[in-house]
Amino acid sequence: MTAVIALAVLAVAAITWTVWPSEPPPRGQDLTIDVLDGPANDQRVTIDATFFAPASGGKAPAVLLGHGFGGSKSSVRDQAQRLAQHGYAVLTWSARGFGRSTGEIALNSPDYEVKDVQQLVDWLATRPEVRLDAAGDPRVGMAGGSYGGAIALMTAAYDTRIDAIAPQITWHDLADALFPNATGQGPATGVFKKMWAGIFFSAGGNRLAGLSGGASGGLAGLTGGTGTGGSGGAGGLGGTSTSGTGTPGTGTSGTSTPGTSTSGTGTPGTSTSGTGTSGASTPGSGAGETGTGAGSTGASPAPTNAPDISGTPETSGSERPAAMGLTPQQVQCGRFMPTICDIYQEIAEKGQATPQAIDLLRRSSPVSVPGKIRIPSLIIQGQRDSLFPLSHADANARAIAATGAPVEVAWINGGHDGGDSEGDWVFDRTAAWFDTWLKDSATPGNPAAAAYQQTAGQNPAPTAGQNADQTAGKSAATAVPGGAAFTVSRDGGRDPGTRRNTIVHAEGSRYSGLSGTAQTAVTLTGPAQEVANPPGGSPAAISSIPGFGSLLGNSSTGVSAALDLPGQSATFESAPLRAPLHLTGSPTATIRVYGTGQVTLFAKLYDATTGQLAVLPGNLTAPLRVNATPSGTTATIALPAVDRRFDTGRTLRLVLATTDMAYSTPATPAVYQVELASPDLVVPTDGELSAPATGPAWWTWAMPLSALVVAIVLVLVGRVRRADTTQDPELADVPLQITGLTKRYRNGEKAVDDLSFRVERGQVLGLLGPNGAGKTTTMRMLMGLIHPDAGEIKIFGSKVVPGAPVLSRLGSFVEGPGFLPHLSGRDNLELYWRATGRPPADAHLDEALEIAGLGNAVDRAVRTYSQGMRQRLAIAQAMLGLPDLLVLDEPTNGLDPPQIAEMRKVLRSYAAKDRTVIVSSHLLGEVEQTCSHAVVMHRGRLISNGPVAELLSRGHLNGSTRLEDVFLDLIGEQV
């Protein structure tokens, strides 16, 4: 009984925990914040923001949460609410040029977006909910994915008030991201990533960013913004985009509250916004405001007033209607700054980077600020990301670690090309990172913050002319207390219950970088091969489809197929591996190219085997451009960084293709020759990474164990019940005695009410009553199928409970027969008897069949039986073992008169051999001719009990001696 009570308590606790209402998420306060930016701090922009106060109340550290490119503050609302519930003050905002914020997109420029965020930090310093380190210096961290991750890095470089960052799937060098060159020669000779650049630019276009009030869930989601059409963009802390509708642009703020503050640029002043009417303004037009006071539009010049950082609650007047009469430049450029638009159009037309493009893109990249990011940084990058591959996270991590700042690196399964974004894991890891570095040493769970503060100034930063990689080895990323410096998401196999792929996290105490902790040389073989560049670069090979990489294969496993065209690719392959090889990092290969002029190639490393489709890890390729000569040009290729296990018997296949659909390739047809300059493929490994052992989910062993516990409890309870079934010697020869039997429905109405009667040997008892009288309920309790609420039933002196041994002396047929139609009647009976587990000799099958009178029909398939024959077979089944007590429910149902007469003989002959039969029937005439005794029930209560002859003797009451008339008379008396 103790075990039963314990299980009941656990069940109640589980149900209570499940149905207990959770606290509603913080609603947040929508507001607008006016800021000044631009090289001369003379451009006023209205930032649309939402502030979430900490759910814990009081003063708390703050988190600035940025959105992905093409998104808005709504893209990260869910993550912001979770952080607020976790005890942080959270500010989300739509970057200039996105959502309802005014201004134009400047790609996280230090002169524009960075200055905007600095003034958001000023605003946080004025909030009573935000903890301050000093006057005007809030305790604040920054997080975000893609575009939001880059602004976290850039702001940390320019504003020392940022205390910790957690950027995700973002860039180190935007020029290198759009013009990669796997030979390391830089973006000036890189291969233009035309599809990603087009998506990137289109996501800021007029119809996609809300300039004309339009919307696009698709392209915005691809670059980490809003929209359900994307395949893995990151809006915030591992979050995926949820909204499929773009947000209309904002022309002006309606009514704002004046405020006095000091801006992030150090220009004090007071900005008073009057009440204005928003017109059909466009970014940069400087027009569209009418009314009283100083309104704001686009990126119009502003006076020397400081920005209003008091925060104006958002009103409906802040939403700009669809723009009308757009100029051709506005149609082409959307909400991009004209300078950026012009540069994009030039490089898109030429397919090559210009010095102006490289300079602009690098000014918006962490590569331009070496040594300036000196705070704890959690770098999270996706393994399925052809836009910002793992090499960008590596460069960011090494640059920050070179300053002595704590750094942790995580390679997750997802990325801009799909896969599993691991939203919950990323959020938990980010929240733990901020818990460590944004809460002081007096806060539980933060032993590392104080230690870092003591050592933060001891490591000199690299100078502007010093490469971060040159100092990275002196201070590589190492684990902080309670964390792992390097985490890699790996395939954990298929969950046996959900049939879905699982993810495990391999961890190491230090970040090994793209070269790993060790290298293995794998020998490649293959002759020199000629490859052709087709006219116009078409048809092109396929490695990934930017934004839709999951279309090529299984997005959850991180590997899928690619397509290389014959004549356009050269292949070099290793021998089958004799032992497993786990690649973690960027392999390198050295090739030689023969030809004339610039040659564009795409290097891919496949996991291959004979007879199966080769898979390309992450669908990643390494583009390269070399100046070929007839005598040959040697180039060392850094292949894409991946984490991949190559099993025994697999081969490593290096493919060099001349085309790729995602990149810009030469239109002039040409033929080149490529060969291996060195047969060695250098494969980095990291033996220090360890993953938890995979195996069956906990429930696969917990549920059988629970079932075993329940079985033991049932056995114990069953033994207790059987202890109550000891035979009453005085009733040992009485087939049935019912005493005070009561059963209630769920609504409290009694189905059986204090029923008592007794049946002796040799009797055929008719159980009579109208529908709802409680006959079937009584019979089900008689067979031990349901428990009575009160009273008891004894068969031959033993109390009836489920599983009671005395039930073996009971044969029953209740609520219709059920047989397998393709088996014969005999086979059905034998199968039923075997299921009871009793010896075949005890069945008395021939005797039961003789009583039922089926004759030769017993050997025919049951599907050929008539209704009467099925009823006879059901009676024979109830008679197996020749039970002393036979209980039949409507045995003559569906029989014709001759069959009913025959059934009457069967029942009488069975009872004549000192056995007892109980029959429930609506055919009162048959009961009168068949039964020796009768029990009449009405509304659950006993009306009459005794011999049928005695019951008929009451016919003098209405002048009839028919059982039907007497029955109706009895029922009428009770009514």
Side-chain angles (χ1 to χ4, degrees):
M1 292 305 294
T2 302
V4 175
I5 294 173
L7 287 174
V9 170
L10 289 174
V12 171
I15 294 172
T16 302
W17 180 84
T18 301
V19 303
W20 192 267
S22 59
E23 295 183 3
R27 298 183 59 182
Q29 176 190 359
D30 292 325
L31 46 91
T32 58
I33 302 174
D34 289 342
V35 298
L36 289 178
D37 60 21
N41 298 321
D42 59 353
Q43 297 189 26
R44 183 183 298 277
V45 173
T46 298
I47 299 297
D48 180 35
T50 300
F51 179 71
F52 299 85
S56 57
K59 290 183 177 293
V63 174
L64 282 163
L65 194 55
H67 62 78
F69 197 85
S72 67
K73 66 176 186 178
S74 62
S75 307
V76 293
R77 182 178 181 86
D78 291 343
Q79 292 82 14
Q81 290 175 326
R82 291 182 68 181
L83 279 172
Q85 289 176 318
H86 196 71
Y88 289 94
V90 185
L91 182 66
T92 63
W93 77 102
S94 297
R96 67 184 341 260
F98 292 103
R100 294 178 175 175
S101 293
T102 62
E104 296 170 319
I105 301 168
L107 297 181
N108 288 338
S109 166
D111 288 331
Y112 296 96
E113 285 86 356
V114 172
K115 287 185 177 181
D116 295 344
V117 176
Q118 286 181 288
Q119 292 165 77
L120 297 183
V121 177
D122 293 341
W123 184 89
L124 285 173
T126 67
R127 297 295 302 189
E129 303 93 340
V130 176
R131 176 183 173 182
L132 300 180
D133 290 332
D137 182 7
R139 177 68 62 88
V140 60
M142 291 188 68
S146 193
Y147 196 64
I151 193 60
L153 289 161
M154 294 300 293
T155 305
Y158 284 92
D159 195 327
T160 58
R161 294 175 297 175
I162 306 300
D163 298 295
I165 56 174
Q168 303 161 32
I169 60 171
T170 192
W171 67 82
H172 174 70
D173 182 349
L174 192 53
D176 178 75
L178 297 180
F179 298 92
N181 191 338
T183 64
Q185 297 180 24
T189 58
V191 184
F192 182 41
K193 203 177 287 183
K194 66 176 183 180
M195 287 191 68
W196 267 125
I199 291 173
F200 202 63
F201 187 80
S202 298
N206 58 305
R207 292 179 180 83
L208 302 181
L211 178 63
S212 60
S216 173
L219 294 181
L222 302 184
T223 52
T226 311
T228 56
S231 60
L237 303 185
T240 56
S241 43
T242 58
S243 171
T245 304
T247 307
T250 303
T252 67
S253 60
T255 304
S256 62
T257 304
T260 304
S261 65
T262 301
S263 71
T265 60
T267 306
T270 304
S271 172
T272 304
S273 297
T275 303
T277 303
S278 60
S281 61
T282 59
S285 66
E289 281 292 336
T290 63
T292 305
S296 62
T297 71
S300 56
T304 56
N305 296 344
D308 175 14
I309 62 169
S310 60
T312 304
E314 193 174 275
T315 65
S316 59
S318 66
E319 183 171 343
R320 177 172 56 192
M324 302 295 292
L326 299 176
T327 67
Q329 184 185 44
Q330 291 165 354
V331 173
Q332 286 184 326
C333 300
R335 300 182 74 177
F336 277 102
M337 296 187 72
T339 304
I340 296 177
C341 180
D342 293 342
I343 289 177
Y344 169 74
Q345 291 177 3
E346 182 180 4
I347 62 177
E349 183 178 355
K350 294 181 177 179
Q352 291 184 339
T354 63
Q356 294 81 4
I358 295 173
D359 179 68
L360 184 146
L361 295 174
R362 281 187 162 171
R363 273 182 51 79
S364 297
S365 303
V367 70
S368 66
V369 286
K372 290 187 177 181
I373 306 175
R374 302 172 53 83
I375 58 174
S377 303
L378 172 63
I379 310 295
I380 300 176
Q381 204 79 354
Q383 299 180 57
R384 288 185 61 83
D385 202 322
S386 59
L387 177 58
F388 305 131
L390 296 174
S391 56
H392 285 260
D394 177 75
N396 281 327
R398 290 190 172 277
I400 299 171
T403 70
V407 177
E408 288 186 9
V409 179
W411 293 356
I412 62 173
N413 180 272
H416 284 87
D417 285 315
D420 189 337
S421 63
E422 302 185 60
D424 289 337
W425 184 88
V426 169
F427 177 86
D428 292 341
R429 193 63 175 264
T430 303
W433 185 256
F434 285 152
D435 287 347
T436 299
W437 299 109
L438 297 184
K439 296 180 179 179
D440 59 27
S441 56
T443 302
N446 181 28
Y452 168 67
Q453 296 299 331
Q454 295 175 3
T455 60
Q458 297 178 5
N459 295 291
T463 64
Q466 186 178 15
N467 192 312
D469 291 337
Q470 296 173 351
T471 60
K474 300 178 182 178
S475 54
T478 56
V480 298
F486 189 27
T487 304
V488 178
S489 298
R490 291 176 173 172
D491 182 15
R494 190 176 293 272
D495 187 290
T498 63
R499 308 299 297 170
R500 295 180 180 177
N501 290 325
T502 60
I503 293 175
V504 297
H505 297 98
E507 297 182 340
S509 60
R510 69 186 184 94
Y511 175 57
S512 58
L514 302 187
S515 58
T517 58
Q519 292 81 37
T520 299
V522 177
T523 301
L524 300 177
T525 60
Q529 301 166 53
E530 291 186 338
V531 292
N533 181 68
S538 180
I542 299 175
S543 57
S544 67
I545 304 176
F548 298 92
S550 59
L551 295 178
L552 295 179
N554 189 341
S555 62
S556 62
T557 60
V559 294
S560 50
L563 174 65
D564 295 307
L565 300 178
Q568 298 183 19
S569 59
T571 302
F572 307 94
E573 194 157 357
S574 73
L577 295 175
R578 296 183 178 180
L581 176 64
H582 204 125
L583 160 62
T584 303
S586 174
T588 58
T590 304
I591 64 170
R592 186 174 293 112
V593 183
Y594 299 88
T596 302
Q598 286 193 337
V599 176
T600 301
L601 295 173
F602 300 89
K604 312 171 191 180
L605 183 63
Y606 285 89
D607 181 352
T609 189
T610 303
Q612 296 183 15
L613 184 66
V615 293
L616 180 61
N619 288 101
L620 300 175
T621 185
L624 63 137
R625 182 173 283 145
V626 298
N627 286 315
T629 62
S631 59
T633 300
T634 301
T636 299
I637 307 170
L639 292 160
V642 296
D643 180 80
R644 172 71 176 171
R645 174 186 168 94
F646 293 81
D647 291 322
T648 303
R650 307 287 292 187
T651 64
L652 282 70
R653 180 183 300 168
L654 175 65
V655 173
L656 299 172
T658 58
T659 60
D660 192 285
M661 186 178 67
Y663 294 81
S664 177
T665 57
T668 304
V671 176
Y672 322 113
Q673 187 180 76
V674 294
E675 66 178 6
L676 293 173
S678 170
D680 290 340
L681 174 71
V682 180
V683 178
T685 60
D686 190 341
E688 296 183 4
L689 286 173
S690 61
T694 58
W698 64 269
W699 57 265
T700 59
W701 56 263
M703 290 190 68
L705 181 61
S706 300
L708 178 61
V709 172
V710 171
I712 293 174
V713 171
L714 292 176
V715 169
L716 294 176
V717 172
R719 289 181 176 178
V720 172
R721 287 178 176 171
R722 289 189 179 97
D724 298 333
T725 61
T726 54
Q727 190 179 52
D728 184 347
E730 297 181 1
L731 299 176
D733 201 42
V734 178
L736 176 66
Q737 177 168 298
I738 295 178
T739 306
L741 193 66
T742 301
K743 182 67 178 179
R744 291 179 176 84
Y745 294 120
R746 291 183 177 180
N747 61 7
E749 182 181 351
K750 292 182 178 179
V752 179
D753 185 8
D754 195 26
L755 179 66
S756 299
F757 65 87
R758 174 170 170 161
V759 186
E760 301 291 347
R761 283 183 179 271
Q763 293 181 356
V764 179
L765 175 75
L767 189 59
L768 309 179
N771 288 334
K775 304 186 299 299
T776 301
T777 301
T778 300
M779 297 178 77
R780 288 171 64 84
M781 288 189 286
L782 173 61
M783 292 182 288
L785 299 178
I786 58 176
H787 292 282
D789 295 326
E792 64 179 6
I793 303 173
K794 289 188 176 182
I795 296 178
F796 295 105
S798 298
K799 185 177 179 180
V800 173
V801 294
V806 73
L807 290 176
S808 63
R809 303 181 68 180
L810 170 70
S812 62
F813 161 46
V814 178
E815 297 180 343
F819 300 105
L820 296 175
H822 63 285
L823 297 181
S824 67
R826 186 185 302 274
D827 290 340
N828 268 284
L829 297 183
E830 291 177 348
L831 183 63
Y832 168 80
W833 187 256
R834 286 200 301 270
T836 67
R838 297 161 66 183
D842 294 347
H844 299 283
L845 179 61
D846 293 337
E847 296 178 54
L849 290 175
E850 183 181 355
I851 295 174
L854 284 171
N856 294 331
V858 72
D859 293 314
R860 286 172 22 208
V862 170
R863 63 171 173 266
T864 66
Y865 284 16
S866 64
Q867 177 66 22
M869 295 174 67
R870 289 173 183 265
Q871 289 291 99
R872 286 169 171 265
L873 185 63
I875 299 300
Q877 179 176 287
M879 291 178 178
L880 288 178
L882 302 179
D884 295 309
L885 177 61
L886 186 63
V887 179
L888 306 175
D889 185 18
E890 300 287 354
T892 59
N893 186 33
L895 302 185
D896 55 28
Q899 292 170 337
I900 292 176
E902 188 65 26
M903 183 64 67
R904 186 188 310 146
K905 295 178 182 178
V906 167
L907 299 181
R908 284 180 173 177
S909 64
Y910 190 82
K913 297 180 180 179
D914 205 29
R915 303 186 186 96
T916 303
V917 179
I918 298 177
V919 177
S920 171
S921 177
H922 288 91
L923 300 178
L924 300 182
E926 287 307 314
V927 171
E928 180 180 351
Q929 298 181 62
T930 304
C931 298
S932 61
H933 291 70
V935 168
V936 181
M937 296 179 64
H938 183 54
R939 295 180 180 174
R941 298 185 64 84
L942 178 68
I943 303 302
S944 179
N945 176 26
V948 172
E950 182 180 318
L951 188 62
L952 293 175
S953 67
R954 300 184 59 178
H956 67 277
L957 296 175
N958 57 12
S960 173
T961 57
R962 290 194 314 150
L963 180 60
E964 181 177 352
D965 294 329
V966 174
F967 173 78
L968 293 174
D969 184 63
L970 290 172
I971 299 302
E973 286 182 2
Q974 295 303 314
V975 173

